[in-house]
Amino acid sequence: MFYWLIELSNTVPGFGIFRGALNVFRYITFRTGGAMVTGALFVFLFGPWIIDHLRLRQGKGQPIRTDGPASHLISKKGTPTMGGLMILSGLVVSTLLWANPLNPYVWIVLAVTLGFGFVGFYDDYLKVTKQSHSGFAGKLRLLIEAVIALVACYALVRLGRDVTSTSLAVPFLKDVVINFGWFFVIFGAFVIVGAGNAVNLTDGLDGLAIVPVMIAAASFGMISYLTGNAVFSDYLQIRYVAGTGELAVLCGAVLGAGLGFLWFNAPPASIFMGDTGSLALGGMLGATAVAVKHEIVLAVIGGLFVLEAVSVIVQVASFKLTGKRVFRMAPLHHHFEQKGWTEPQIVIRFWIISVMLALAGLSTLKLR
């Protein structure tokens, strides 16, 4: 909405006197900061009302898995879920206020975010109403996510309109580019679906998922800005993708809404993110990475999410093939719980790992 003020100053008589002051809205950096502040304030102001409303509606709150850590049956019982609605509300409001409404990349990534959020919301709804940790069928859920991701990737490829839109750049190697052709649509969809479910698996302790998501969003906000800037992308020898700089505003909105949510999700959590938030935010990170052509860098910056997902895959495969478990419990954070680490220890140490991985991922921008 604020972006239109610039157009008004140029076209509507009488607004010209404000042209100098309104010119600041042209800058992506300013609007990113505005989106961050707006997202945080929205969640701070409306968060308590949303929590009270969800607690009243859900009654017993999120059902706790009986096959998880025994301590969770006591410490987390009765806590409401679907806190992702707080994040998504702040994200959407601040994005609509501060982003350029004519930018197609913003709408594509926002559509993936909301689409995955709806899938997660329905899954949370079934869990709460049935008072069971099982939502709707996993295969059906993956199929819906895949359809959303495929449509988004097709739209992104069509936006590119050249061979680089279907290519995969390899970090550290500036001249190595793998052209997938139209198979890239499937590859990109795999990245988006994988990111969504990896974040979903990470969301198991108070504050564990939201901070790494914010760190990744901040990192990809910077990458989006650099990728969408012809001068900076040429200097760093990364692919220039016109228009993707606007995704920095959306990433700023995620960072702000995430900060607001962390206020209520800090241990002991007043509300859980639920699949509503984790799937949506993971899908948003995946879609942003595909849009800015930094899919492999996502695996580095979001390395914590990758480790959590791999721990589940390894655990299931090992048990089915050999009857033995590699970890005491999966995902990985539960393994450390079983080893005697306290919840704050796990959460803060995983945050530290996320920061280190983000720095490693950002270093690939120059080391080419």
Side-chain angles (χ1 to χ4, degrees):
M1 187 182 77
F2 290 124
Y3 190 87
W4 288 112
L5 292 175
I6 304 169
E7 301 302 322
L8 285 174
S9 68
N10 292 328
T11 59
V12 178
F15 270 77
I17 58 175
F18 302 108
R19 189 172 300 159
L22 294 176
N23 193 54
V24 70
F25 288 97
R26 292 186 181 274
Y27 297 105
I28 291 175
T29 50
F30 176 79
R31 287 186 285 112
T32 299
M36 190 186 309
V37 173
T38 302
L41 285 177
F42 184 93
V43 178
F44 277 135
L45 292 174
F46 294 98
W49 179 84
I50 294 174
I51 292 173
D52 290 342
H53 185 73
L54 289 174
R55 183 180 288 114
L56 181 64
R57 290 281 184 177
Q58 295 176 14
K60 296 181 180 180
Q62 175 173 296
I64 308 301
R65 292 179 55 179
T66 55
D67 58 346
S71 60
H72 289 198
L73 295 172
I74 300 174
S75 62
K76 301 186 184 300
K77 185 177 181 180
T79 306
T81 186
M82 297 184 186
L85 291 173
M86 298 165 59
I87 304 172
L88 291 178
S89 299
L91 185 162
V92 171
V93 169
S94 53
T95 299
L96 293 179
L97 283 175
W98 293 98
N100 179 358
L102 301 179
N103 187 288
Y105 288 103
V106 171
W107 290 109
I108 292 172
V109 175
L110 195 59
V112 172
T113 305
L114 295 179
F116 274 46
F118 177 78
V119 173
F121 174 81
Y122 184 61
D123 203 32
D124 285 335
Y125 174 78
L126 291 179
K127 291 176 183 177
V128 171
T129 53
K130 294 180 178 179
Q131 276 301 297
S132 169
H133 65 266
S134 299
F136 69 106
K139 291 182 179 179
L140 177 59
R141 192 178 83 168
L142 285 174
L143 177 62
I144 297 172
E145 293 170 10
V147 170
I148 295 171
L150 285 168
V151 172
C153 289
Y154 175 78
L156 290 172
V157 169
R158 295 287 294 178
L159 272 177
R161 294 184 179 179
D162 58 36
V163 68
T164 56
S165 64
T166 57
S167 299
L168 175 69
V170 180
F172 301 109
L173 304 173
K174 63 181 181 181
D175 296 323
V176 178
V177 178
I178 305 171
N179 185 15
F180 284 107
W182 279 101
F183 180 74
F184 181 84
V185 173
I186 298 176
F187 171 77
F190 174 79
V191 171
I192 295 173
V193 173
N197 286 278
V199 174
N200 181 235
L201 290 170
T202 306
D203 183 33
L205 299 176
D206 297 348
L208 178 60
I210 189 59
V211 171
V213 164
M214 289 191 295
I215 293 170
S219 301
F220 271 95
M222 181 182 296
I223 293 172
S224 299
Y225 178 74
L226 296 172
T227 303
N229 187 295
V231 176
F232 291 145
S233 59
D234 179 65
Y235 171 72
L236 294 170
Q237 298 184 22
I238 58 178
R239 192 204 158 191
Y240 168 61
V241 186
T244 54
E246 203 67 28
L247 291 175
V249 179
L250 196 152
C251 289
V254 171
L255 182 55
L259 283 171
F261 176 75
L262 182 61
W263 182 270
F264 303 102
N265 188 237
S270 301
I271 191 168
F272 296 143
M273 183 188 301
D275 291 0
T276 307
S278 57
L279 277 177
L281 295 175
M284 173 267 168
L285 291 174
T288 302
V290 173
V292 300
K293 311 304 298 176
H294 280 73
E295 299 87 356
I296 295 179
V297 174
L298 173 63
V300 179
I301 293 176
L304 178 65
F305 307 131
V306 175
L307 289 173
E308 293 274 28
V310 169
S311 69
V312 173
I313 295 171
V314 169
Q315 186 85 325
V316 172
S318 176
F319 187 76
K320 286 186 176 181
L321 294 174
T322 67
K324 298 180 180 179
R325 292 180 172 85
V326 175
F327 304 100
R328 295 188 181 184
M329 188 177 289
L332 189 61
H333 54 267
H334 289 326
H335 169 77
F336 289 108
E337 275 191 293
Q338 296 300 100
K339 290 189 67 175
W341 289 20
T342 64
E343 185 169 340
Q345 282 180 318
I346 297 170
V347 170
I348 294 174
R349 287 171 181 174
F350 276 35
W351 289 354
I352 294 171
I353 293 171
S354 294
V355 172
M356 295 172 66
L357 289 170
L359 293 174
L362 290 174
S363 71
T364 65
L365 296 176
K366 185 58 182 170
L367 300 177
R368 294 186 181 239

